[in-house]
């Protein structure tokens, strides 16, 4: 069933991706994103790629990148190319930042947290508010235009954000020498030829920043589909770092069945004896992501309920 047309398919072959950060193993919400993005790529007769977003070593949990790749393999979610590791992409990010420097679209910034707490990056207006301190490395910020970025999310509808009002000049390269998610994500979505980004709605607020960066770097803008996030009984988004992962030794079939519950219409369930491949085929045939349109949250379904 393909109720949402794959517009990208009309222009170029569909390419989707799943881009986990190695901050713990996958939980019900990140598994939903993995499965939905895989199903969407298959429904659009396209490719599905993986990217390990390991640009922030202080937040990383040792071993979780390999554990996540093993979880995906266990579930039969095979990628169409070897995974891209962001930790190996320093040269590509440096090249993008150099382009922005040449175009005078970025500026070095020595503002401390305290400086920003009093003024906020929204008020930097294209220049660092502190005096340059040549003894320490600056962060690099994008000069955001006073422009409202508009995009039509496939599930969440039209989104508008004026970056100068809502965000301000945002960081691309941190003073501690780490690349910011926004820059790494934009450079890699382009490098991997991604035509549609499927991810959690908790990241929808980043999308205008990413579109702004794509324009600054002359990169194409993919389509966006932001899925609801899975929440616990108290209504909080599940998080890898909070330890919400599923018991990793569960059979793949039961994890897939549980994840599919969020993606199938009420009353529809996969055949009782289906193995992993049959479950995935069933998902491609029956999942209709449109039924999640406009939803921001999905309460977690526990096996014991
Ligand atoms: N790395 C992010 C995460 O694990 C996802 C980023 C994205 O899909 O753009 O939540």
């Amino acid at each position: 069933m393909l109720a949402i047309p794959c517009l990208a398919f009309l222009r170029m072959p569909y390419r989707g991706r799943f881009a986990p950060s190695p901050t713990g193993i996958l939980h019900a919400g990140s598994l939903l994103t993995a499965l939905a993005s895989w199903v969407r790529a298959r429904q659009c007769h396209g490719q599905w790629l993986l990217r390990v977003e390991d640009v922030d070593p202080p937040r990383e949990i040792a071993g979780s990148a390999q554990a996540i790749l093993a979880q995906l393999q266990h579930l039969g979610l095979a990628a169409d190319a070897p995974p891209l590791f962001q930790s190996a992409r320093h040269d590509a990010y440096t090249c993008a930042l150099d382009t922005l420097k040449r175009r005078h679209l970025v500026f070095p910034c020595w503002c401390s947290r305290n400086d920003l707490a009093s003024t906020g990056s929204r008020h930097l207006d294209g220049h660092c508010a502190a005096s340059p301190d040549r003894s320490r490395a600056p962060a690099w910020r994008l000069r955001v235009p006073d422009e409202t970025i508009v995009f039509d999310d496939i599930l969440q509808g039209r989104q508008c954000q004026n970056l100068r009002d809502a965000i301000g000049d945002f960081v691309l390269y941190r003073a501690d020498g780490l690349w910011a998610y926004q820059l790494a994500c934009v450079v890699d979505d382009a490098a991997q030829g991604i035509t549609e980004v499927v991810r959690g709605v908790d990241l929808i607020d980043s999308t205008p920043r990413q579109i702004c960066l794509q324009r600054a770097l002359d990169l194409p803008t993919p389509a966006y589909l932001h899925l609801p996030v899975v929440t616990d009984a108290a209504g909080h988004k599940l998080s890898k770092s909070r330890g919400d992962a599923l018991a990793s030794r569960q059979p793949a079939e039961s994890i897939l069945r549980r994840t599919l519950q969020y993606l199938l219409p009420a009353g529809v369930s996969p055949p009782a004896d289906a193995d992993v491949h049959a479950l995935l085929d069933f998902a491609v045939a029956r999942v209709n992501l449109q039924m999640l349109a406009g939803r921001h949250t999905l309460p977690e379904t526990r096996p014991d309920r």
Side-chain angles (χ1 to χ4, degrees), residues 79-133:
D80 292 297
L84 185 72
F85 285 80
Q86 289 194 323
S87 52
R89 299 277 298 151
H90 180 79
D91 291 353
Y93 308 147
T94 305
C95 183
L97 186 61
D98 285 346
T99 301
L100 296 170
K101 285 180 185 172
R102 277 197 307 278
R103 295 180 178 182
H104 304 288
L105 294 174
V106 286
F107 62 94
C109 184
W110 285 269
C111 287
S112 65
R113 273 178 211 280
N114 283 347
D115 296 335
L116 293 175
S118 50
T119 56
S121 65
R122 264 177 271 181
H123 304 292
L124 288 177
D125 216 12
H127 302 278
C128 177
S131 2
D133 173 357

Side-chain angles (χ1 to χ4, degrees), residues 17 19-21 51 53 181 185 197-199 203 210 240:
R17 48 66 154 187
S21 303
R51 181 163 82 228
E53 298 206 322
Y181 157 66
C185 179
V197 170
V198 175
R199 62 185 172 198
L203 287 166
Q210 295 180 6
K240 292 197 215 86

Side-chain angles (χ1 to χ4, degrees), residues 34-272:
L35 180 61
S37 62
W38 182 90
V39 165
R40 177 86 174 139
R42 292 290 169 265
Q43 290 182 333
C44 293
H45 309 285
Q47 293 187 327
W48 186 70
L49 305 185
L50 287 176
R51 181 163 82 228
V52 177
E53 298 206 322
D54 52 353
V55 271
D56 194 349
R59 286 190 58 228
E60 208 168 311
I61 304 282
S64 59
Q66 293 312 324
I68 289 171
L69 297 177
Q71 273 182 296
L72 295 171
Q73 195 182 25
H74 178 58
L75 298 176
L77 301 179
D80 292 297
L84 185 72
F85 285 80
Q86 289 194 323
S87 52
R89 299 277 298 151
H90 180 79
D91 291 353
Y93 308 147
T94 305
C95 183
L97 186 61
D98 285 346
T99 301
L100 296 170
K101 285 180 185 172
R102 277 197 307 278
R103 295 180 178 182
H104 304 288
L105 294 174
V106 286
F107 62 94
C109 184
W110 285 269
C111 287
S112 65
R113 273 178 211 280
N114 283 347
D115 296 335
L116 293 175
S118 50
T119 56
S121 65
R122 264 177 271 181
H123 304 292
L124 288 177
D125 216 12
H127 302 278
C128 177
S131 2
D133 173 357
R134 302 291 168 199
S135 69
R136 60 188 176 95
W140 284 85
R141 290 178 182 272
L142 186 76
R143 288 199 166 100
V144 299
D146 185 11
E147 180 191 335
T148 298
I149 306 274
V150 181
F151 69 99
D152 289 307
D153 187 84
I154 294 167
L155 286 190
Q156 308 297 338
R158 177 152 294 195
Q159 309 290 316
C160 307
Q161 190 184 61
N162 181 293
L163 281 178
R164 197 177 269 187
D165 295 346
I167 307 286
D169 297 333
F170 59 92
V171 171
L172 302 181
Y173 184 67
R174 290 163 32 176
D176 59 4
L178 297 180
W179 294 101
Y181 157 66
Q182 309 295 355
L183 181 84
C185 179
V186 162
V187 169
D188 288 342
D189 279 338
Q192 291 186 291
I194 301 304
T195 60
E196 184 177 287
V197 170
V198 175
R199 62 185 172 198
V201 74
D202 52 323
L203 287 166
I204 200 165
D205 197 47
S206 287
T207 306
R209 269 170 278 179
Q210 295 180 6
I211 293 174
C212 177
L213 259 177
Q214 288 152 1
R215 292 178 184 168
L217 288 164
D218 300 322
L219 297 175
T221 293
Y224 287 95
L225 187 160
H226 286 90
L227 295 162
V229 295
V230 177
T231 51
D232 65 13
H236 299 129
K237 174 184 173 284
L238 304 186
S239 105
K240 292 197 215 86
S241 45
R242 221 180 55 182
D244 286 323
L246 291 178
S248 51
R249 268 183 238 101
Q250 277 184 36
E253 288 81 0
S254 60
I255 298 175
L256 282 174
R257 275 177 193 282
R258 275 185 60 190
T259 310
L260 268 173
Q261 283 179 31
Y262 301 111
L263 299 173
L264 293 170
V268 175
S269 45

